[in-house]
Amino acid sequence: MDYITSIAIIPLLVGCMGIFGLFRFLQWIRMKAYIQDSVVVITGATSGLGKECAKVFYTAGAKLILCGRNNERLEELIRELIATNIKKTHRPHAVVFDLAESKTIVPAANEILKYSGHVDILINNAGVSYRGTIMDTALEVDKKVMETNYFGPVALTKAILPSMIEKKQGHIVVISSIQGKISVPFRSAYAASKHATQAFFDCLRAEVEQHDIEVTVISPGYIQTNLSLNALTADGSTYGVMDKNTANGRSPTEVAYAVLTAVGKKKKEVMVADLLPCLAVSLRTLFPRLFFYIMAMRARKERKGKTS
Ligand SMILES: NC(=O)C1=CN([C@@H]2O[C@H](COP(=O)(O)OP(=O)(O)OC[C@H]3O[C@@H](n4cnc5c(N)ncnc54)[C@H](OP(=O)(O)O)[C@@H]3O)[C@@H](O)[C@H]2O)C=CC1
Ligand SMILES: CCCCCCCCCCCCCCCC(=O)OCC(=O)COP(=O)(O)O
């Protein structure tokens, strides 16, 4: 590179970096303004990803409505958030209901709307996983997983949506999973509930675009939470094991920041996962036969591991 070229390239590079930095800064300001003072409802706030989302959205200045089944744990989280002494925040509010009990959802949505007047961002995070073979699993278990992960979020979304449409503003977020895009053996009920979730919220996105309502589907890979400990098994009992994949997953704080960023940037969907699960999603689309073969091998290996 001659002297003339280098003196022309250096200011160009510095200029590009400056423009990029300015762009990122403006994006950050816009994200902050979007979250600050917004009414944000988070389901499943008592543990794992929901609890970490509560922390990051609280720090970003949101007016939180935290939902869960256990009032004591929600109040404990609220005390924990208030104790962080962050400036310009709002006292979070707890709403207790069970997503698997369909009759509790409309009253809960009414309680939320009565308290806050409206909802800016609804984060459908709560969920339960499952371990078992299709042959051994009681239909009641399939239904319970579906009620919690699919019908519950659908009912809550439908109950909140009219108020968003009236305001011509709102953002609906759902925490799906990589298993909303690919199915792995011995997760039938869970993968089915997450595939249904992906489909429903993709339809919703298209239908509510006319009302300026955003829909974000987040598909994480493994996260270090209690998901496997709380998973249901074939007979409906709790699995109670911390799986290796879960223990080695991403930190829930990291994933909660990814949720905040996706919401702030109004992303339509994001996968928050390592390279292998992302490649597996592409493999399922591009080379389905190879993907099915790998899954069958995986099932065979896992079955062998259990019997030996
Ligand atoms: N951990 C992982 O590897 C991954 C998780 N996800 C998804 O992330 C979301 C959060 O799960 P995660 O934090 O990992 O797991 P946790 O088990 O730690 O948290 C699940 C949350 O959902 C709540 N919940 C479960 N059942 C119900 C119900 N019937 N009614 C109301 N709330 C309920 C739980 O409440 P309670 O305390 O009362 O049980 C808890 O707050 C789920 O949708 C999950 O599918 C997606 C990909 C990977
Ligand atoms: C071009 C080469 C591609 C090679 C692809 C090989 C396929 C490897 C299979 C990978 C499977 C990844 C599964 C990921 C599952 C996942 O991340 O699930 C997240 C969850 O929801 C976890 O819930 P769980 O209850 O199952 O712990």
Side-chain angles (χ1 to χ4, degrees):
M1 192 190 302
D2 62 29
Y3 178 70
I4 302 289
T5 319
S6 62
I7 54 169
I9 281 181
I10 290 166
L12 192 75
L13 279 177
V14 171
C16 285
M17 278 161 64
I19 291 170
F20 182 68
L22 184 69
F23 174 75
R24 292 295 295 264
F25 179 69
L26 290 176
Q27 207 173 37
W28 180 79
I29 302 257
R30 215 177 60 182
M31 259 176 62
K32 204 169 152 42
Y34 187 59
I35 310 286
Q36 177 85 48
D37 304 322
S38 292
V39 176
V40 179
V41 176
I42 304 175
T43 67
T46 46
S47 79
L49 180 58
K51 194 171 181 175
E52 292 310 307
C53 281
K55 290 179 189 168
V56 301
F57 278 86
Y58 178 76
T59 308
K63 290 181 192 168
L64 289 184
I65 299 185
L66 303 176
C67 306
R69 289 183 291 188
N70 185 320
N71 189 45
E72 188 41 50
R73 282 168 64 192
L74 289 173
E75 290 299 338
E76 196 182 303
L77 172 60
I78 291 174
R79 285 193 292 275
E80 200 183 313
L81 293 173
I82 291 169
T84 53
N85 249 334
I86 290 160
K87 284 184 197 137
K88 284 201 194 162
T89 52
H90 307 270
R91 193 188 197 287
H93 179 71
V95 174
V96 181
F97 66 102
D98 187 333
L99 276 162
E101 295 288 329
S102 57
K103 61 181 182 305
T104 67
I105 294 174
V106 170
N110 289 340
E111 188 185 334
I112 291 169
L113 290 171
K114 195 172 167 201
Y115 177 79
S116 60
H118 72 281
V119 172
D120 292 303
I121 302 168
L122 165 63
I123 304 181
N124 288 297
N125 161 76
V128 67
S129 195
Y130 150 89
R131 306 280 184 274
T133 66
I134 290 170
M135 282 297 287
D136 293 336
T137 299
L139 190 60
E140 285 315 307
V141 174
D142 293 282
K143 286 184 178 172
K144 183 78 190 275
V145 174
M146 211 66 190
E147 287 290 347
T148 309
N149 295 356
Y150 178 70
F151 287 112
V154 165
L156 184 63
T157 300
K158 284 184 181 215
I160 300 284
L161 198 56
S163 63
M164 288 184 168
I165 291 174
E166 201 182 321
K167 208 167 174 251
K168 262 199 150 297
Q169 181 202 311
H171 195 148
I172 291 161
V173 183
V174 66
I175 308 298
S176 178
S177 161
I178 286 290
Q179 291 183 53
K181 293 178 180 291
I182 54 168
S183 302
V184 298
F186 311 116
R187 297 289 185 280
S188 54
Y190 181 68
S193 72
K194 294 295 185 180
H195 273 69
T197 297
Q198 174 86 48
F200 179 88
F201 287 92
D202 282 352
C203 288
L204 181 70
R205 185 187 299 110
E207 290 184 26
V208 297
E209 184 261 354
Q210 57 170 330
H211 303 294
D212 291 329
I213 294 167
E214 303 289 335
V215 175
T216 302
V217 178
I218 306 209
S219 302
Y222 296 106
I223 318 170
Q224 291 162 21
T225 67
N226 290 337
L227 190 75
S228 73
L229 280 170
N230 294 333
L232 297 179
T233 61
D235 63 4
S237 61
T238 304
Y239 180 57
V241 177
M242 174 54 82
D243 275 353
K244 218 169 166 183
N245 282 332
T246 317
N248 294 332
R250 294 198 177 193
S251 95
T253 314
E254 181 195 339
V255 180
Y257 274 110
V259 174
L260 182 81
T261 308
V263 172
K265 289 184 177 174
K266 300 183 183 175
K267 293 266 186 197
K268 309 242 178 272
E269 71 165 353
V270 227
M271 285 195 279
V272 190
D274 295 343
L275 185 64
L276 197 65
C278 294
L279 283 177
V281 172
S282 302
L283 193 70
R284 166 70 180 86
T285 310
L286 299 174
F287 303 101
R289 283 175 69 100
L290 178 57
F291 176 81
F292 299 147
Y293 175 78
I294 295 172
M295 288 302 119
M297 289 303 111
R298 194 179 160 115
R300 199 177 278 215
K301 197 173 151 201
E302 216 171 306
R303 221 178 281 121
K304 222 174 171 182
K306 283 215 174 80
T307 50
S308 59

